[in-house]
Amino acid sequence: MDFSLTTDQQNIRDTILKHCSRFGDDYWLARDREAIFPHDFYKSLVDGGWLGIAIPAEFGGSGLGVTEATVMMQAIAESGAGMTGASSVHIPVFSLQTVVLFGTEAQKARMLPPVVRGEDQVCFAVTEPNAGLNTTEIKTRAERRDGAYVVNGEKIWISTAQVANKMLLLARTTPLDQVKRKADGLSLFYTDLDRSRIDVRLIHKMGRHAVDSNMLFIENLIVPEEDRIGPEGEGFRLILHGLNPERILIGAEAVGIGRVAIARAARYARERIVFNRPIGMNQGIAHPLAKCWAQLEAANLMVMKAATLYDRGEECGVEANAGKYLAGEYAFEACHTAMLTLGGMGYAQEYHVERYLRECLIPRTAPVSPHMILNFLAEKVLGLPKSY
Amino acid sequence: MKILVPVKRVVDYNVKVRVKSDQTGVELSGVKMAMNPFDEIAVEEAVRLKEKGVVTEIIAVSVGITASQETIRTALAMGADRGILVETEASPEPLAVAKILKALADREQPGLIILGKQAIDDDMNATGQMLAALLGWPQGTFASKVDIEDGTATVKREVDGGLETVALTMPAIITADLRLNEPRYASLPNIMKARKKPIDVVKPADLGVDPAPRLSTLKVVEPPKRQAGKKVKSVAELVDKLRNEAKVI
């Protein structure tokens, strides 16, 4: 049992925090107000080779593990970039793993290096309005025609689709009533986001305004067969491989935003003088902050345990889910406590904690709700009967 | 041309240092350490000279405990080619470091040595100058601009009252000031490459230097707490206090 980062991991954390210090609080506040994608931040990470952290070296990356990617994503959120900074690079860092694991050599050589070099920007088009977390029920169809697929359907909550030119797309290639198991008959594609066939509509949302979320209306999109990742009908299983790493990364990002909120609140509590003393001297202020710190660090241990298990090739579903649950809940409490610590000022945008509060609802809710995680833990760990 | 860049492991500039309770020094256990910021500027300048084709090899040197290897790795990730750790448990004083660097310069024959103008822990501002004296090389200290051409280093120096430009016949010593450049952030591929670059480890005795300190620290104390300001009722009272109490006008 070793609870410390390796030299490499510590180095990644320090370098990312330093790298991100160029993009200060005012930068993120402005991006959020203007709802403009942080292109220069994204480019700086491309230039630093960071998008390739988990891409194999032969395709332009550095070939490190999920643990290192987790350390990196957490440091981005913790720098004050929050979920805006993390989400801007989350997809290339995480979602391309399905291509790394299941793409052919030719596909990897064609698809991965342009993303690492910043020439291609990718979004992840899986979720649909009529399926929710019941992914096998997605309605988007890909029908074979003349050596290609014709895709029709709708997607929702597709982040960065306004700026992406590529997408990972899950669609049903065999209708649900013709497959043995519901998980069969779905296929995964990595293809062009062809705006002549896809209408991308922005969803106006609560926070993280700089990183867009969208509805996609796909009409007769032609996808060449060579853009299909893995065998036809196996797409759902390929996606499943990425679920645990995604929970781990999101959990780590949540801890990051919780940490920056608490650090900011603690600084305010040390400096803000009311009734002739710093407000942090009052235990009504100090104890909730201390509690949040303890909760976040405990959540982080669970997240990092899951990452370590994953990189060792061991089963990590319980830990990844529990870690994301704890991180999401405690990050919310941390951001909320930070806002209460700042009192009225906490409600003002220029003090930044209200932005963290709006953003931390993302890892609390996505990619899977706390309710579904508790269902999963109740069933898998405690052996309780399934309720749905 | 080879270039030698000494780098020192110091308390990270973001850390608020605390004096040990026995007043023998500042608390270092559990404290985040980093490369001296002025040394980072020196490394950056060396890397830029290499990118311009002026320099062929950059050697990063650190004198200190085993963990100073991390500081060398940072330099390697920024673009230095190899490292030398002169391993010593003692915290060497500038003269000992200068002697060690002289021995290394004799061995490596660099055309240029760029150092930070001072380390942010002891603020000695001495090693570069002592090294120049020991080697008998010209020195351009507090550099804010460096140009190398035909065996001459032209250095713009930040001095009181302006900028002084000096021309040094190489080999020469340059110490870096804050405005010389803005150091780059290491890229991930370069961090990975740095892991494979060689670091030689030698002892001061191998170089014929005794690093034992010549000075003994009597005590280290916190600076006095800042006093609250005084409120004055009128301009006349302000002028009076400035003249007779603060004695600044």
Side-chain angles (χ1 to χ4, degrees):
Chain A
M1 203 172 286
D2 182 355
F3 292 104
S4 51
L5 298 178
T6 64
T7 310
D8 274 349
Q9 290 160 358
Q10 186 65 49
N11 208 348
I12 287 168
R13 178 178 161 77
D14 291 348
T15 312
I16 284 287
L17 286 173
K18 215 166 160 184
H19 183 111
C20 292
S21 67
R22 272 183 287 176
F23 302 88
D25 295 328
D26 292 339
Y27 174 84
W28 296 109
L29 176 58
R31 293 291 84 70
D32 194 57
R33 276 188 188 162
E34 298 157 0
I36 292 175
F37 188 85
H39 290 288
D40 34 4
F41 173 75
Y42 187 90
K43 185 173 183 313
S44 76
L45 289 177
V46 167
D47 292 345
W50 293 100
L51 261 51
I53 188 163
I55 306 283
E58 61 263 45
F59 303 112
S62 291
L64 295 169
V66 162
T67 311
E68 284 75 21
T70 303
V71 168
M72 166 190 166
M73 296 305 288
Q74 180 168 76
I76 290 175
E78 194 176 332
S79 75
M83 292 309 292
T84 305
S87 299
S88 73
V89 293
H90 182 90
I91 306 288
V93 166
F94 147 73
S95 305
L96 280 180
Q97 288 307 305
T98 46
V99 178
V100 171
L101 291 171
F102 306 110
T104 63
E105 291 303 301
Q107 283 177 326
K108 286 190 262 191
R110 176 162 64 93
M111 296 166 179
L112 300 176
V115 176
V116 177
R117 289 196 300 262
E119 295 153 15
D120 282 346
Q121 211 165 333
V122 54
C123 65
F124 191 57
V126 172
T127 43
E128 295 194 5
N130 298 316
L133 292 168
N134 195 357
T135 307
T136 57
E137 295 273 353
I138 62 165
K139 302 284 183 274
T140 297
R141 281 279 284 134
E143 290 173 280
R144 263 182 187 278
R145 201 179 298 164
D146 308 328
Y149 293 89
V150 180
V151 182
N152 283 282
E154 295 173 15
K155 296 285 174 184
I156 195 167
W157 294 114
I158 312 309
S159 292
T160 73
Q162 299 285 344
V163 290
N165 65 323
K166 295 280 180 187
M167 63 174 172
L168 271 156
L169 173 73
L170 189 69
R172 186 159 276 291
T173 36
T174 310
L176 204 50
D177 54 15
Q178 294 169 26
V179 293
K180 269 198 226 134
R181 284 176 303 248
K182 289 171 81 176
D184 293 338
L186 293 163
S187 298
L188 184 68
F189 304 93
Y190 180 87
T191 193
D192 289 336
L193 199 161
D194 178 356
R195 285 171 203 276
S196 69
R197 305 297 175 95
I198 303 173
D199 183 13
V200 180
R201 285 192 214 157
L202 187 70
I203 301 170
H204 293 279
K205 56 190 191 301
M206 181 179 180
R208 206 197 68 186
H209 297 303
V211 179
D212 53 276
S213 298
N214 306 277
M215 286 183 284
L216 267 53
F217 298 90
I218 307 170
E219 214 179 317
N220 293 325
L221 174 73
I222 311 293
V223 178
E225 195 171 342
E226 60 262 32
D227 283 0
R228 192 190 67 232
I229 306 295
E232 186 177 285
E234 289 295 309
F236 185 65
R237 291 188 185 85
L238 308 191
I239 292 280
L240 281 182
H241 279 269
L243 291 187
N244 288 330
E246 186 179 30
R247 282 153 178 59
I248 293 167
L249 260 65
I250 295 262
E253 292 165 17
V255 170
I257 199 168
R259 280 180 178 166
V260 67
I262 291 302
R264 189 172 280 283
R267 195 174 75 207
Y268 187 86
R270 284 192 300 269
E271 290 169 0
R272 171 72 170 163
I273 309 286
V274 181
F275 299 114
N276 300 316
R277 58 195 205 154
I279 60 169
M281 200 181 257
N282 303 313
Q283 291 178 344
I285 295 289
H287 286 184
L289 291 173
K291 179 169 166 248
C292 284
W293 179 86
Q295 291 177 163
L296 284 172
E297 294 312 309
N300 195 48
L301 289 177
M302 183 67 91
V303 170
M304 295 314 292
K305 180 183 176 188
T308 307
L309 289 172
Y310 182 87
D311 279 340
R312 273 197 219 144
E314 291 176 37
E315 183 51 50
C316 68
V318 165
E319 289 79 4
N321 276 284
K324 136 64 197 171
Y325 169 77
L326 292 171
E329 298 302 301
Y330 291 154
F332 173 75
E333 189 176 332
C335 293
H336 186 225
T337 303
M339 208 170 133
L340 292 178
T341 304
L342 269 74
M345 291 307 172
Y347 205 62
Q349 291 194 342
E350 65 182 289
Y351 283 82
H352 307 288
V353 289
E354 65 80 36
R355 190 172 73 251
Y356 303 151
L357 182 62
R358 285 185 284 116
E359 291 188 359
C360 82
L361 268 298
I362 296 170
R364 195 184 191 196
T365 318
V368 54
S369 66
H371 316 80
M372 287 303 280
I373 292 183
L374 294 178
N375 282 338
F376 173 84
L377 295 176
E379 197 190 322
K380 297 284 178 203
V381 183
L382 304 178
L384 298 173
K386 190 169 175 172
S387 63
Y388 57 99
Chain B
M1 177 177 77
K2 281 192 209 175
I3 188 164
L4 203 66
V5 186
V7 292
K8 185 175 184 184
R9 180 174 182 267
V10 299
V11 174
D12 186 274
Y13 74 97
N14 282 312
V15 172
K16 192 176 181 299
V17 292
R18 289 210 171 91
V19 172
K20 281 189 198 165
S21 52
D22 63 2
Q23 299 192 335
T24 55
V26 297
E27 192 57 68
L28 292 181
S29 69
V31 172
K32 189 172 182 307
M33 306 296 280
M35 188 192 295
N36 175 38
F38 291 108
D39 298 348
E40 254 182 86
I41 296 171
V43 174
E44 175 65 33
E45 196 62 21
V47 175
R48 289 186 190 188
L49 288 172
K50 192 179 173 193
E51 284 167 351
K52 279 185 202 155
V54 178
V55 165
T56 50
E57 189 183 32
I58 303 167
I59 307 159
V61 183
S62 195
V63 183
I65 60 171
T66 315
S68 302
Q69 287 212 21
E70 290 162 28
T71 310
I72 295 176
R73 289 270 173 232
T74 305
L76 297 176
M78 288 175 73
D81 297 289
R82 64 183 166 98
I84 301 172
L85 171 65
V86 183
E87 197 176 12
T88 162
E89 281 308 311
S91 173
E93 290 165 3
L95 183 59
V97 176
K99 286 178 180 171
I100 286 168
L101 293 175
K102 179 189 183 300
L104 290 174
D106 290 341
R107 186 195 279 186
E108 299 284 349
Q109 300 288 319
L112 205 58
I113 302 176
I114 306 187
L115 309 86
K117 68 167 180 177
Q118 67 196 65
I120 61 167
D121 53 358
D122 56 16
D123 277 338
M124 287 287 196
N125 181 9
T127 306
Q129 294 88 331
M130 287 176 170
L131 179 58
L134 290 174
L135 284 166
W137 291 4
Q139 55 180 308
T141 50
F142 315 119
S144 65
K145 194 170 188 316
V146 173
D147 287 301
I148 310 285
E149 208 170 354
D150 302 331
T152 301
T154 308
V155 176
K156 206 169 265 183
R157 305 182 60 233
E158 300 209 343
V159 294
D160 288 350
L163 292 170
E164 179 188 47
T165 305
V166 294
L168 316 173
T169 307
M170 298 206 291
I173 304 288
I174 293 172
T175 73
D177 211 326
L178 194 62
R179 276 162 288 271
L180 181 57
N181 59 49
E182 203 177 312
R184 70 194 61 198
Y185 300 106
S187 72
L188 180 59
N190 286 341
I191 291 174
M192 302 302 290
K193 275 184 216 149
R195 297 197 299 186
K196 298 197 180 90
K197 292 179 181 175
I199 298 179
D200 284 342
V201 181
V202 296
K203 302 273 180 195
D206 303 336
L207 303 167
V209 178
D210 173 13
R214 310 289 180 92
L215 308 169
S216 59
T217 300
L218 300 181
K219 69 174 176 179
V220 177
V221 295
E222 296 269 2
K225 282 239 163 23
R226 210 178 136 198
Q227 301 293 316
K230 287 178 187 165
K231 283 183 184 166
V232 293
K233 289 201 175 67
S234 65
V235 175
E237 191 187 345
L238 173 67
V239 171
D240 176 64
K241 282 200 184 300
L242 287 175
R243 181 166 295 147
N244 298 318
E245 219 170 278
K247 297 189 183 358
V248 291
I249 56 173

